[in-house]
Amino acid sequence: MRVALFVTCVNDALYPRTGIAVVRLLERLGVDVDFPAGQSCCGQPQYNTGYRHETEPLLRRTARVFAGHEFVVTPSGSCAAMIREHYPRIGRRAAAEGRGGELAEAAAALAPRVYELTEFLVDVLGVTDVGAYFPHTVTYHPSCHGLRGLGLGDRPRRLLAAVRGLRLVELPGAEECCGFGGTFAVKNPDVSTAMGADKIASAAATGAEVLCGADNSCLAHLDGLLRRADAPPDTAHGTAHRTAPRTLHLAEILAATEEEGPLP
C-alpha cells in the first residue's frame, strides 16, 4: 500500500519530528509513504479568520498535489477536519455565488481520501498494536477537531493502550477544550490562557510524565503554558520545584520501539 503524507505547515515548520515519526511508523507497518513536495498550508488560518476567498487557492493547490493518491494521511485532526468538513462548504459557496463547480468538484474528490493518522491505522490498516514500546506514564488530551469534528472516539486511546511499557492514565476533564482554537487564542488570549491553565492543572494532577495529543497546534499551546508554570524554585520562600509533564505527539510514541528506541 502507498499513501501520501500531508505533514501540515505547523509540523513542517515547528515539529518535523512528528512527520519523521509518521513515516517511521507507517513504513514499519509495511506502508510506502510519498511526500509530495508541492504541499502547503490547507488554508485553515485564513478560513477561520473569515477570508474564505483567500482560502480557495490553497484548496485548489492541495487537491492538485494529492490528486494521484488513494490515501492521504495527516498527523493532525485539525487539518483533516478542515479538508473534510470545510473544503466541501467552500466549494458549495463558490457554486452558489455563480462561480462554477470547480472548487466543489476538487473538494469532493479529495475529502474522502484524507485520514487523520489514528483513523488510518485503526480503520484502514486494521491495527491497534503497532509494535511500539514507550516505558512512561502518559495521559491523553483529545483535541476538539479530532474529538468533535472527526469523531475519532477511542481510536487514539486504543493505540496507546497497546503500547508495551506504557501506563495510560485518565485525564480529568479530557473532553474540555484546551483553549487554543487556532486564531481563537490570538483573538481571545485571556480566555485561551485560562482554559489552558485548567487543562495543564488536570494534566499535572495525573502525575503523568507525558501529556500526549494528536495535534501539535494544541500541544504547542499547552507546552508554552506548562513551561511558564514550571518555574524555578523560589529558594527565598522555600517553594518546591514542580516538574511539569512534557508534551509529545502521539505519532512519536507509536514510532518508538524497544529495538530502535524513540526518535533521536
Side-chain angles (χ1 to χ4, degrees):
M1 178 185 292
R2 181 176 293 274
V3 307
L5 170 62
F6 176 36
V7 74
T8 81
C9 52
V10 168
N11 289 323
D12 183 48
L14 301 175
Y15 298 98
R17 288 167 55 95
T18 295
I20 295 169
V22 173
V23 174
R24 177 172 169 178
L25 169 63
L26 292 178
E27 289 184 342
R28 189 171 77 231
L29 296 174
V31 177
D32 294 325
V33 182
D34 289 336
F35 183 78
Q39 62 182 279
S40 181
C41 178
C42 66
Q44 185 176 177
Q46 295 88 333
Y47 186 72
N48 286 352
T49 313
Y51 293 97
R52 174 168 56 89
H53 290 164
E54 286 77 5
T55 308
E56 292 176 359
L58 293 166
L59 188 163
R60 292 189 186 93
R61 181 190 186 106
T62 304
R64 182 178 68 252
V65 166
F66 292 108
H69 297 88
E70 182 181 4
F71 299 104
V72 180
V73 179
T74 180
S76 169
S78 175
C79 296
M82 174 65 191
I83 294 173
R84 293 205 333 224
E85 292 187 348
H86 297 299
Y87 273 18
R89 293 176 182 169
I90 294 170
R92 289 193 296 269
R93 289 289 298 276
E97 292 167 354
R99 294 189 287 118
E102 174 215 353
L103 286 172
E105 292 170 4
L110 174 62
R113 296 183 285 113
V114 174
Y115 290 83
E116 186 272 340
L117 176 64
T118 66
E119 283 183 310
F120 182 76
L121 293 172
V122 175
D123 298 349
V124 179
L125 295 186
V127 299
T128 52
D129 186 346
V130 298
Y133 174 74
F134 192 76
H136 301 283
T137 302
V138 175
T139 193
Y140 171 70
H141 164 63
S143 296
C144 293
H145 281 97
L147 179 68
R148 298 174 178 86
L150 298 178
L152 294 182
D154 67 349
R155 292 175 182 85
R157 291 182 57 84
R158 287 163 62 191
L159 288 159
L160 290 169
V163 175
R164 290 188 303 113
L166 186 149
R167 177 173 171 259
L168 184 61
V169 295
E170 190 67 28
L171 178 65
E175 295 189 359
E176 296 177 6
C177 177
C178 72
F180 177 63
T183 55
F184 175 85
V186 178
K187 296 175 182 177
N188 305 278
D190 292 339
V191 177
S192 172
T193 300
M195 294 171 72
D198 287 345
K199 181 65 67 171
I200 65 168
S202 296
T206 68
E209 302 167 72
V210 174
L211 173 58
C212 165
D215 267 286
N216 270 329
S217 52
C218 295
L219 291 177
H221 174 60
L222 294 173
D223 183 62
L225 292 169
L226 282 165
R227 289 174 183 272
R228 293 184 65 182
D230 192 28
D234 184 347
T235 54
H237 297 89
T239 304
H241 177 67
R242 181 184 63 80
T243 301
R246 61 188 174 105
T247 58
L248 195 64
H249 194 285
L250 177 144
E252 294 192 46
I253 294 176
L254 299 181
T257 64
E258 191 166 10
E259 295 74 22
E260 296 181 293
L263 291 174

